[in-house]
Amino acid sequence: TNAEALANGKFNGFTLAPEPYNVAHNADEFEQRNLKGTIITANYFTPQNYQWVSITGIRKAEFSEFSEEDYSPLDVATSLFDEDNKQLSQEFRLVSPHGEATDYVVGVYLLDQDISTQRGANLGINFPGKVNTSVTTPSSAGVRSYSAYSNGNWRFTDTWEATSGIRYIHETKDLDYSSVDTTKLFINVNHVLENKTYNELLPRVGLNYHVTPDILIYSAIARGYRSGGWNADFLSTLENFQFNPEYAINYELGLKSTLFNNHLTLNTSAFSTKFRDFQVFQFITTKAGGTLLSLTNAGKVTSQGLELDANVQLQTNLNFSFNAAFTQAKFDEFQNGGGLGINYDNNSLPFAPEHTYYVALDYQHPFANNFSFYGHIDYGYSGNYFSNPDNKPANAIEHHDIANSRLGLKAGDNWDISLWVKNLTNETNLRTRSVSFLGVPRGYYDPPRLYGLTVKYNFY
């Protein structure tokens, strides 16, 4: 029961409203998103069966959120985030004909992105000392990314195939950051101008063996990269303002197969990824004793595990799906992760359960003229994990599960009408624990049981 769960500390995400789905807020909170975008894809096939592809993406996003920060009925602190995001992307690629001893893809990718943000927080009349002041962080940032890539396959025998690819990335980032503070809890800076340039070469090599036309054993080694940046948020010091790029080497060995006359699809893989300067969010204590969420770099991380994916056609119209994963993701080295002299070596990564699995049943029954009835039910399980790299009990998340279902009717290729239920058994699952910038504990839960009706119509 919820009472028992509260007694053992399972549902203590919020300080003054420990019951799930209840809050003790006094602020009139809201969240607004306005998303616009279009994607234009053009394909051209030459007489020699080469394919030219152009993909243009234009996106604009506006985000505004007014939030409680003290999680109490008192007027202590609120925050308002406003952000505008514009981006243009363009990709050109050339695809060689299939079915030859060699085939390849070459291309270029361009990204132009601009972000402007106005973040602010107000301390109300109930703040200790009756402070009625504020902090704002008007900032803007831009990203210009250019990359060229190629990937090819060489079938040097009937059963052996070599693959290789490479991507070159040139990326520039710029930032104009300001902080205007009258609370004496944060910093005052005006137009901190920063600029970073990254040039990275990301290769990949692999070897495939076709045991039969329906069974493939594959292997691959690849280098990955994630660019660095800045924590352009509420800051009490510029000490953790920047974070560095993250690098990774991934090793993978796997099997893909289609068996028993396509009645069974079975895929499995083993992987190991070694990270350097791993980027991770952690809570940094401010000079006033509060807590700020900052993106920082851990020294080294290893993530390794096994995955299994299967699909079985039980009957003509009935399919069973199964997916399971075992993952060990730990910090090999995270010096001073919790402050000077407090190391997180051998701690588990946040939001990284060791065990997850998913099962589903799908049924489809055609009838009449071009009509079909279908049903779907699934169940997912996630093991225990932590929501912070400190791995403290206060940030532990217990294992949880969830089931969903859907019943629908399709009419031809155009109409699809379905009734659905999410969180079928109405589980109360705490998904993450964190704290506000005032250090107040808070928690987030899966939504309770939801049900609805969806009507889709395709115009093509």
Side-chain angles (χ1 to χ4, degrees), residues 265 267 308-312 320-325 356-360:
T265 300
N267 304 319
L308 174 67
D309 182 76
N311 184 280
V312 185
F320 171 76
S321 301
F322 174 77
N323 177 272
T356 59
Y357 64 83
Y358 170 88
V359 294

Side-chain angles (χ1 to χ4, degrees), residues 292-310:
L292 295 176
L293 187 64
S294 295
L295 191 59
T296 61
N297 293 97
K300 297 178 181 179
V301 162
T302 297
S303 177
Q304 55 192 0
L306 302 170
E307 294 183 352
L308 174 67
D309 182 76

Side-chain angles (χ1 to χ4, degrees), residues 357 379-382 399-403 423 425 427-429 446:
Y357 64 83
Y379 170 83
Y381 170 87
S382 174
H399 61 84
H400 51 266
D401 50 16
I402 194 167
N423 195 356
T425 55
E427 301 294 326
T428 304
N429 294 325
D446 273 338

Side-chain angles (χ1 to χ4, degrees), residues 183-195:
T183 68
K184 299 182 180 180
L185 300 177
F186 306 97
I187 59 174
N188 274 292
V189 293
N190 189 31
H191 294 294
V192 176
L193 301 177
E194 296 279 345
N195 184 276

Side-chain angles (χ1 to χ4, degrees), residues 310-436:
N311 184 280
V312 185
Q313 185 178 351
L314 300 176
Q315 295 179 358
T316 303
N317 300 322
L318 183 64
N319 274 65
F320 171 76
S321 301
F322 174 77
N323 177 272
F326 169 74
T327 306
Q328 282 191 336
K330 292 184 177 294
F331 295 101
D332 300 320
E333 179 184 301
F334 195 176
Q335 298 293 306
N336 303 316
L340 187 61
I342 304 175
N343 302 328
Y344 290 161
D345 298 6
N346 298 316
N347 279 14
S348 297
L349 264 64
F351 303 103
E354 283 196 351
H355 302 92
T356 59
Y357 64 83
Y358 170 88
V359 294
L361 274 175
D362 287 277
Y363 176 77
Q364 186 163 345
H365 179 68
F367 68 96
N369 184 18
N370 218 17
F371 284 84
S372 64
F373 165 82
Y374 66 91
H376 169 90
I377 187 168
D378 64 65
Y379 170 83
Y381 170 87
S382 174
N384 303 332
Y385 59 86
F386 294 95
S387 59
N388 190 275
D390 61 15
N391 285 192
K392 292 182 178 179
N395 292 313
I397 306 297
E398 291 190 9
H399 61 84
H400 51 266
D401 50 16
I402 194 167
N404 310 288
S405 64
R406 181 181 293 267
L407 293 174
L409 177 68
K410 289 184 178 181
D413 296 326
N414 300 103
W415 287 99
D416 185 342
I417 304 172
S418 62
L419 291 168
W420 50 264
V421 182
K422 298 182 179 180
N423 195 356
L424 187 63
T425 55
N426 201 29
E427 301 294 326
T428 304
N429 294 325
L430 180 63
R431 298 302 299 268
T432 181
R433 299 175 190 262
S434 62
V435 295
S436 72

Side-chain angles (χ1 to χ4, degrees), residues 66-332:
F66 183 63
S67 301
E68 179 90 35
E69 292 294 345
D70 54 88
Y71 301 94
S72 77
L74 303 177
D75 182 15
V76 179
T78 57
S79 65
L80 176 63
F81 288 3
D82 280 307
E83 184 174 287
D84 290 334
N85 187 333
K86 300 177 182 178
Q87 73 175 52
L88 170 67
S89 63
Q90 177 63 56
E91 182 175 4
F92 297 105
R93 65 174 177 250
L94 172 66
V95 183
S96 72
H98 294 289
E100 306 292 336
T102 61
D103 56 58
Y104 59 86
V105 177
V106 295
V108 294
Y109 177 80
L110 315 173
L111 173 66
D112 191 317
Q113 182 178 22
D114 290 295
I115 304 171
S116 61
T117 180
Q118 177 76 33
R119 300 190 173 196
N122 288 283
L123 303 183
I125 59 174
N126 296 126
F127 189 83
K130 297 187 181 297
V131 178
N132 191 4
T133 53
S134 65
V135 56
T136 58
T137 58
S139 306
S140 61
V143 178
R144 312 290 179 264
S145 180
Y146 312 94
S147 62
Y149 63 87
S150 67
N151 191 84
N153 304 296
W154 175 37
R155 300 168 188 88
F156 53 91
T157 73
D158 291 339
T159 56
W160 288 95
E161 177 184 49
T163 68
S164 66
I166 193 166
R167 177 183 289 266
Y168 172 75
I169 298 177
H170 173 78
E171 187 174 38
T172 61
K173 289 185 173 183
D174 59 77
L175 175 73
D176 183 349
Y177 172 79
S178 298
S179 177
V180 182
D181 176 59
T182 59
T183 68
K184 299 182 180 180
L185 300 177
F186 306 97
I187 59 174
N188 274 292
V189 293
N190 189 31
H191 294 294
V192 176
L193 301 177
E194 296 279 345
N195 184 276
K196 292 180 178 290
T197 300
Y198 304 99
N199 294 285
E200 298 295 338
L201 202 61
L202 307 176
R204 179 187 183 276
V205 294
L207 186 64
N208 302 332
Y209 176 61
H210 295 267
V211 181
T212 71
D214 297 325
I215 301 175
L216 169 69
I217 297 175
Y218 68 92
S219 62
I221 303 174
R223 182 176 187 259
Y225 147 86
R226 183 185 298 174
S227 62
W230 305 273
N231 288 296
D233 209 331
F234 304 134
L235 300 174
S236 61
T237 174
L238 291 177
E239 182 179 352
N240 297 298
F241 188 49
Q242 302 184 50
F243 55 91
N244 297 323
E246 170 188 295
Y247 300 94
I249 300 291
N250 181 68
Y251 306 88
E252 186 173 1
L253 177 66
L255 172 107
K256 293 181 180 293
S257 62
T258 303
L259 307 171
F260 303 112
N261 197 26
N262 296 327
H263 283 73
L264 171 63
T265 300
L266 182 65
N267 304 319
T268 183
S269 66
F271 67 90
S272 178
T273 307
K274 299 285 186 178
F275 294 90
R276 176 169 58 88
D277 289 330
F278 182 79
Q279 294 175 4
V280 60
F281 281 102
Q282 65 178 127
F283 296 104
I284 305 297
T285 303
T286 68
K287 61 185 179 182
T291 305
L292 295 176
L293 187 64
S294 295
L295 191 59
T296 61
N297 293 97
K300 297 178 181 179
V301 162
T302 297
S303 177
Q304 55 192 0
L306 302 170
E307 294 183 352
L308 174 67
D309 182 76
N311 184 280
V312 185
Q313 185 178 351
L314 300 176
Q315 295 179 358
T316 303
N317 300 322
L318 183 64
N319 274 65
F320 171 76
S321 301
F322 174 77
N323 177 272
F326 169 74
T327 306
Q328 282 191 336
K330 292 184 177 294
F331 295 101
D332 300 320

